[in-house]
Amino acid sequence: MPASILVVEDEPAIQALIATNLRRHGHTVSAALDAEDALRQIKAALPDLILLDWMLPGMSGLDCACRLRADPRTKHVPIIMLTARGEERDRVTGLESGADDYVTKPFSPRELLARIQAVLRRGRPQASENVVEAGGLKLDPAAHRVFADDRPVNLGPTEFRLLHFLMTHSSRVHSRDQLLDQVWGDHVYVEERTVDVHIRRLRAALEPSGLDRLVQTVRGSGYRFSIDA
Ligand code: CA
């Protein structure tokens, strides 16, 4: 499963090695040489996973992990700490700071990839593959199909992801910004009105069944999926 990965590593040679290896395996990689730059990049775009070196100039990787865990926007982003320290005590400290895993240098590219895949799999809730049904609408993530009152609905990939997210997080209002984070994953190159465009397409696809009413606009706040009018 390809992911967007932020590599925070102050040694350019190691950073380049990791980045090349990850790209070769289909991941999208961005890189930062210190924690401050990493936090700036994360503010602009939420990665799927962060590889975070422990020993960094300025703010340490450990402090950076604590900061990310304290912020509701970033607290669920998986973090793998990279470190030269291999002692049990350090490992525990690293995991307590909120890291999901811990890789000791020197590590093989294969080991790092395996850890990344494991953390990404863990991060994706099991429920996301379950069939979701509400108000006459049925979405099957495994088969990538949607039915409105048992009739197939043709949706583009973005509309499909958008509907899946809304159905699995129903009744709550989601701002455009939150939807960009959750559905697009990375909103650097996407404007907020893009969300409106895809909501419109989604509703147009649902309109023949009348189920477009389930995708509701909450004026001034965003969108929600609800079976109540
Ligand atoms: Ca370092």
mmCIF file of all heavy atoms in Angstrom, residues 184-210:
data_model
loop_
_atom_site.group_PDB
_atom_site.id
_atom_site.type_symbol
_atom_site.label_atom_id
_atom_site.label_comp_id
_atom_site.label_asym_id
_atom_site.label_seq_id
_atom_site.Cartn_x
_atom_site.Cartn_y
_atom_site.Cartn_z
ATOM 1 N N TRP A 184 -8.452 13.282 1.120
ATOM 2 C CA TRP A 184 -7.385 13.533 0.150
ATOM 3 C C TRP A 184 -6.019 13.212 0.770
ATOM 4 O O TRP A 184 -5.087 12.897 0.077
ATOM 5 C CB TRP A 184 -7.407 14.982 -0.325
ATOM 6 C CG TRP A 184 -8.388 15.231 -1.419
ATOM 7 C CD1 TRP A 184 -8.093 15.362 -2.740
ATOM 8 C CD2 TRP A 184 -9.818 15.386 -1.313
ATOM 9 N NE1 TRP A 184 -9.239 15.583 -3.455
ATOM 10 C CE2 TRP A 184 -10.312 15.608 -2.611
ATOM 11 C CE3 TRP A 184 -10.722 15.364 -0.255
ATOM 12 C CZ2 TRP A 184 -11.661 15.802 -2.877
ATOM 13 C CZ3 TRP A 184 -12.063 15.559 -0.508
ATOM 14 C CH2 TRP A 184 -12.528 15.770 -1.800
ATOM 15 N N GLY A 185 -5.938 13.324 2.087
ATOM 16 C CA GLY A 185 -4.715 12.962 2.786
ATOM 17 C C GLY A 185 -3.658 14.037 2.760
ATOM 18 O O GLY A 185 -2.864 14.160 3.674
ATOM 19 N N ASP A 186 -3.649 14.837 1.773
ATOM 20 C CA ASP A 186 -2.581 15.804 1.614
ATOM 21 C C ASP A 186 -3.208 16.999 0.908
ATOM 22 O O ASP A 186 -3.605 16.894 -0.233
ATOM 23 C CB ASP A 186 -1.497 15.175 0.740
ATOM 24 C CG ASP A 186 -0.357 16.122 0.469
ATOM 25 O OD1 ASP A 186 -0.593 17.345 0.454
ATOM 26 O OD2 ASP A 186 0.756 15.632 0.268
ATOM 27 N N HIS A 187 -3.332 18.113 1.609
ATOM 28 C CA HIS A 187 -4.094 19.183 0.969
ATOM 29 C C HIS A 187 -3.246 20.349 0.464
ATOM 30 O O HIS A 187 -3.760 21.411 0.205
ATOM 31 C CB HIS A 187 -5.241 19.661 1.867
ATOM 32 C CG HIS A 187 -4.814 20.244 3.169
ATOM 33 N ND1 HIS A 187 -5.372 19.866 4.358
ATOM 34 C CD2 HIS A 187 -3.896 21.157 3.477
ATOM 35 C CE1 HIS A 187 -4.810 20.537 5.334
ATOM 36 N NE2 HIS A 187 -3.903 21.319 4.820
ATOM 37 N N VAL A 188 -1.969 20.119 0.296
ATOM 38 C CA VAL A 188 -1.123 21.203 -0.193
ATOM 39 C C VAL A 188 -1.575 21.726 -1.542
ATOM 40 O O VAL A 188 -1.634 22.911 -1.780
ATOM 41 C CB VAL A 188 0.338 20.731 -0.333
ATOM 42 C CG1 VAL A 188 1.177 21.845 -0.936
ATOM 43 C CG2 VAL A 188 0.903 20.360 1.004
ATOM 44 N N TYR A 189 -1.880 20.801 -2.448
ATOM 45 C CA TYR A 189 -2.156 21.221 -3.821
ATOM 46 C C TYR A 189 -3.645 21.256 -4.109
ATOM 47 O O TYR A 189 -4.060 21.353 -5.230
ATOM 48 C CB TYR A 189 -1.451 20.267 -4.788
ATOM 49 C CG TYR A 189 0.009 20.184 -4.526
ATOM 50 C CD1 TYR A 189 0.576 19.026 -4.027
ATOM 51 C CD2 TYR A 189 0.827 21.292 -4.714
ATOM 52 C CE1 TYR A 189 1.920 18.963 -3.747
ATOM 53 C CE2 TYR A 189 2.182 21.238 -4.435
ATOM 54 C CZ TYR A 189 2.723 20.070 -3.952
ATOM 55 O OH TYR A 189 4.053 20.015 -3.663
ATOM 56 N N VAL A 190 -4.442 21.102 -3.071
ATOM 57 C CA VAL A 190 -5.882 21.043 -3.275
ATOM 58 C C VAL A 190 -6.556 22.202 -2.559
ATOM 59 O O VAL A 190 -6.324 22.436 -1.388
ATOM 60 C CB VAL A 190 -6.453 19.712 -2.739
ATOM 61 C CG1 VAL A 190 -7.911 19.584 -3.068
ATOM 62 C CG2 VAL A 190 -5.686 18.529 -3.314
ATOM 63 N N GLU A 191 -7.399 22.908 -3.290
ATOM 64 C CA GLU A 191 -8.123 24.012 -2.669
ATOM 65 C C GLU A 191 -9.393 23.491 -2.006
ATOM 66 O O GLU A 191 -9.935 22.474 -2.415
ATOM 67 C CB GLU A 191 -8.525 25.031 -3.731
ATOM 68 C CG GLU A 191 -7.368 25.755 -4.352
ATOM 69 C CD GLU A 191 -7.869 26.671 -5.457
ATOM 70 O OE1 GLU A 191 -8.668 27.573 -5.147
ATOM 71 O OE2 GLU A 191 -7.493 26.445 -6.607
ATOM 72 N N GLU A 192 -9.859 24.248 -1.013
ATOM 73 C CA GLU A 192 -11.046 23.796 -0.280
ATOM 74 C C GLU A 192 -12.266 23.631 -1.184
ATOM 75 O O GLU A 192 -13.084 22.757 -0.959
ATOM 76 C CB GLU A 192 -11.360 24.766 0.862
ATOM 77 C CG GLU A 192 -10.326 24.688 1.969
ATOM 78 C CD GLU A 192 -10.843 25.198 3.295
ATOM 79 O OE1 GLU A 192 -11.948 25.764 3.324
ATOM 80 O OE2 GLU A 192 -10.118 25.022 4.295
ATOM 81 N N ARG A 193 -12.357 24.464 -2.229
ATOM 82 C CA ARG A 193 -13.567 24.348 -3.051
ATOM 83 C C ARG A 193 -13.572 23.061 -3.875
ATOM 84 O O ARG A 193 -14.592 22.671 -4.435
ATOM 85 C CB ARG A 193 -13.774 25.578 -3.920
ATOM 86 C CG ARG A 193 -12.738 25.801 -4.974
ATOM 87 C CD ARG A 193 -13.260 26.799 -6.008
ATOM 88 N NE ARG A 193 -12.219 27.017 -6.988
ATOM 89 C CZ ARG A 193 -11.486 28.124 -7.064
ATOM 90 N NH1 ARG A 193 -11.714 29.115 -6.265
ATOM 91 N NH2 ARG A 193 -10.540 28.226 -7.975
ATOM 92 N N THR A 194 -12.414 22.389 -3.944
ATOM 93 C CA THR A 194 -12.367 21.068 -4.578
ATOM 94 C C THR A 194 -13.351 20.127 -3.890
ATOM 95 O O THR A 194 -13.984 19.284 -4.527
ATOM 96 C CB THR A 194 -10.942 20.475 -4.458
ATOM 97 O OG1 THR A 194 -10.045 21.391 -5.044
ATOM 98 C CG2 THR A 194 -10.827 19.140 -5.160
ATOM 99 N N VAL A 195 -13.467 20.270 -2.566
ATOM 100 C CA VAL A 195 -14.392 19.427 -1.804
ATOM 101 C C VAL A 195 -15.810 19.640 -2.326
ATOM 102 O O VAL A 195 -16.545 18.682 -2.560
ATOM 103 C CB VAL A 195 -14.323 19.756 -0.294
ATOM 104 C CG1 VAL A 195 -15.363 18.951 0.475
ATOM 105 C CG2 VAL A 195 -12.924 19.486 0.246
ATOM 106 N N ASP A 196 -16.176 20.894 -2.543
ATOM 107 C CA ASP A 196 -17.532 21.204 -3.030
ATOM 108 C C ASP A 196 -17.788 20.553 -4.385
ATOM 109 O O ASP A 196 -18.879 20.053 -4.646
ATOM 110 C CB ASP A 196 -17.722 22.723 -3.148
ATOM 111 C CG ASP A 196 -17.447 23.424 -1.828
ATOM 112 O OD1 ASP A 196 -17.618 22.779 -0.779
ATOM 113 O OD2 ASP A 196 -17.053 24.597 -1.847
ATOM 114 N N VAL A 197 -16.752 20.578 -5.231
ATOM 115 C CA VAL A 197 -16.895 19.990 -6.567
ATOM 116 C C VAL A 197 -17.209 18.496 -6.453
ATOM 117 O O VAL A 197 -18.121 17.994 -7.112
ATOM 118 C CB VAL A 197 -15.588 20.192 -7.386
ATOM 119 C CG1 VAL A 197 -15.656 19.401 -8.690
ATOM 120 C CG2 VAL A 197 -15.354 21.667 -7.660
ATOM 121 N N HIS A 198 -16.476 17.809 -5.580
ATOM 122 C CA HIS A 198 -16.686 16.360 -5.460
ATOM 123 C C HIS A 198 -17.988 16.024 -4.734
ATOM 124 O O HIS A 198 -18.623 15.016 -5.029
ATOM 125 C CB HIS A 198 -15.480 15.699 -4.789
ATOM 126 C CG HIS A 198 -14.286 15.677 -5.691
ATOM 127 N ND1 HIS A 198 -14.118 14.706 -6.652
ATOM 128 C CD2 HIS A 198 -13.245 16.526 -5.821
ATOM 129 C CE1 HIS A 198 -12.999 14.965 -7.328
ATOM 130 N NE2 HIS A 198 -12.454 16.056 -6.840
ATOM 131 N N ILE A 199 -18.382 16.876 -3.789
ATOM 132 C CA ILE A 199 -19.688 16.690 -3.144
ATOM 133 C C ILE A 199 -20.796 16.816 -4.188
ATOM 134 O O ILE A 199 -21.740 16.020 -4.219
ATOM 135 C CB ILE A 199 -19.900 17.728 -2.001
ATOM 136 C CG1 ILE A 199 -18.983 17.422 -0.810
ATOM 137 C CG2 ILE A 199 -21.362 17.817 -1.610
ATOM 138 C CD1 ILE A 199 -19.497 16.390 0.183
ATOM 139 N N ARG A 200 -20.639 17.794 -5.084
ATOM 140 C CA ARG A 200 -21.641 17.988 -6.144
ATOM 141 C C ARG A 200 -21.734 16.755 -7.035
ATOM 142 O O ARG A 200 -22.823 16.285 -7.359
ATOM 143 C CB ARG A 200 -21.267 19.211 -6.997
ATOM 144 C CG ARG A 200 -22.150 20.406 -6.719
ATOM 145 C CD ARG A 200 -22.153 21.440 -7.836
ATOM 146 N NE ARG A 200 -20.851 21.838 -8.323
ATOM 147 C CZ ARG A 200 -20.072 22.765 -7.765
ATOM 148 N NH1 ARG A 200 -20.458 23.380 -6.670
ATOM 149 N NH2 ARG A 200 -18.912 23.068 -8.296
ATOM 150 N N ARG A 201 -20.564 16.197 -7.399
ATOM 151 C CA ARG A 201 -20.554 15.005 -8.257
ATOM 152 C C ARG A 201 -21.180 13.813 -7.532
ATOM 153 O O ARG A 201 -21.896 13.019 -8.126
ATOM 154 C CB ARG A 201 -19.121 14.638 -8.632
ATOM 155 C CG ARG A 201 -18.555 15.561 -9.669
ATOM 156 C CD ARG A 201 -17.232 15.013 -10.140
ATOM 157 N NE ARG A 201 -16.441 16.068 -10.734
ATOM 158 C CZ ARG A 201 -15.128 16.001 -10.903
ATOM 159 N NH1 ARG A 201 -14.465 14.946 -10.504
ATOM 160 N NH2 ARG A 201 -14.487 17.006 -11.449
ATOM 161 N N LEU A 202 -20.863 13.716 -6.249
ATOM 162 C CA LEU A 202 -21.410 12.622 -5.457
ATOM 163 C C LEU A 202 -22.933 12.715 -5.411
ATOM 164 O O LEU A 202 -23.651 11.736 -5.631
ATOM 165 C CB LEU A 202 -20.813 12.682 -4.045
ATOM 166 C CG LEU A 202 -21.336 11.703 -2.999
ATOM 167 C CD1 LEU A 202 -21.157 10.259 -3.454
ATOM 168 C CD2 LEU A 202 -20.613 11.915 -1.664
ATOM 169 N N ARG A 203 -23.424 13.924 -5.158
ATOM 170 C CA ARG A 203 -24.882 14.108 -5.095
ATOM 171 C C ARG A 203 -25.534 13.837 -6.441
ATOM 172 O O ARG A 203 -26.600 13.230 -6.510
ATOM 173 C CB ARG A 203 -25.198 15.543 -4.658
ATOM 174 C CG ARG A 203 -25.009 15.736 -3.181
ATOM 175 C CD ARG A 203 -25.547 17.093 -2.807
ATOM 176 N NE ARG A 203 -25.411 17.349 -1.401
ATOM 177 C CZ ARG A 203 -24.979 18.491 -0.902
ATOM 178 N NH1 ARG A 203 -24.630 19.479 -1.703
ATOM 179 N NH2 ARG A 203 -24.904 18.658 0.395
ATOM 180 N N ALA A 204 -24.866 14.285 -7.512
ATOM 181 C CA ALA A 204 -25.424 14.062 -8.850
ATOM 182 C C ALA A 204 -25.564 12.564 -9.116
ATOM 183 O O ALA A 204 -26.555 12.113 -9.697
ATOM 184 C CB ALA A 204 -24.545 14.715 -9.903
ATOM 185 N N ALA A 205 -24.572 11.788 -8.657
ATOM 186 C CA ALA A 205 -24.617 10.333 -8.880
ATOM 187 C C ALA A 205 -25.722 9.677 -8.054
ATOM 188 O O ALA A 205 -26.291 8.664 -8.451
ATOM 189 C CB ALA A 205 -23.265 9.716 -8.542
ATOM 190 N N LEU A 206 -26.029 10.277 -6.905
ATOM 191 C CA LEU A 206 -27.041 9.687 -6.015
ATOM 192 C C LEU A 206 -28.448 10.211 -6.324
ATOM 193 O O LEU A 206 -29.440 9.638 -5.885
ATOM 194 C CB LEU A 206 -26.703 9.985 -4.555
ATOM 195 C CG LEU A 206 -25.396 9.389 -4.018
ATOM 196 C CD1 LEU A 206 -25.141 9.868 -2.592
ATOM 197 C CD2 LEU A 206 -25.446 7.856 -4.051
ATOM 198 N N GLU A 207 -28.517 11.277 -7.090
ATOM 199 C CA GLU A 207 -29.788 11.964 -7.311
ATOM 200 C C GLU A 207 -30.903 11.070 -7.877
ATOM 201 O O GLU A 207 -32.032 11.131 -7.377
ATOM 202 C CB GLU A 207 -29.575 13.178 -8.215
ATOM 203 C CG GLU A 207 -30.563 14.278 -7.905
ATOM 204 C CD GLU A 207 -30.317 15.510 -8.753
ATOM 205 O OE1 GLU A 207 -29.233 15.613 -9.371
ATOM 206 O OE2 GLU A 207 -31.235 16.340 -8.799
ATOM 207 N N PRO A 208 -30.601 10.226 -8.891
ATOM 208 C CA PRO A 208 -31.689 9.395 -9.446
ATOM 209 C C PRO A 208 -32.406 8.567 -8.377
ATOM 210 O O PRO A 208 -33.591 8.282 -8.514
ATOM 211 C CB PRO A 208 -30.964 8.479 -10.441
ATOM 212 C CG PRO A 208 -29.710 9.209 -10.797
ATOM 213 C CD PRO A 208 -29.332 9.996 -9.587
ATOM 214 N N SER A 209 -31.699 8.186 -7.320
ATOM 215 C CA SER A 209 -32.315 7.368 -6.269
ATOM 216 C C SER A 209 -32.946 8.231 -5.183
ATOM 217 O O SER A 209 -33.624 7.725 -4.295
ATOM 218 C CB SER A 209 -31.250 6.470 -5.635
ATOM 219 O OG SER A 209 -30.266 7.281 -5.005
ATOM 220 N N GLY A 210 -32.679 9.528 -5.242
ATOM 221 C CA GLY A 210 -33.188 10.428 -4.197
ATOM 222 C C GLY A 210 -32.343 10.399 -2.940
ATOM 223 O O GLY A 210 -32.630 11.117 -1.976
#
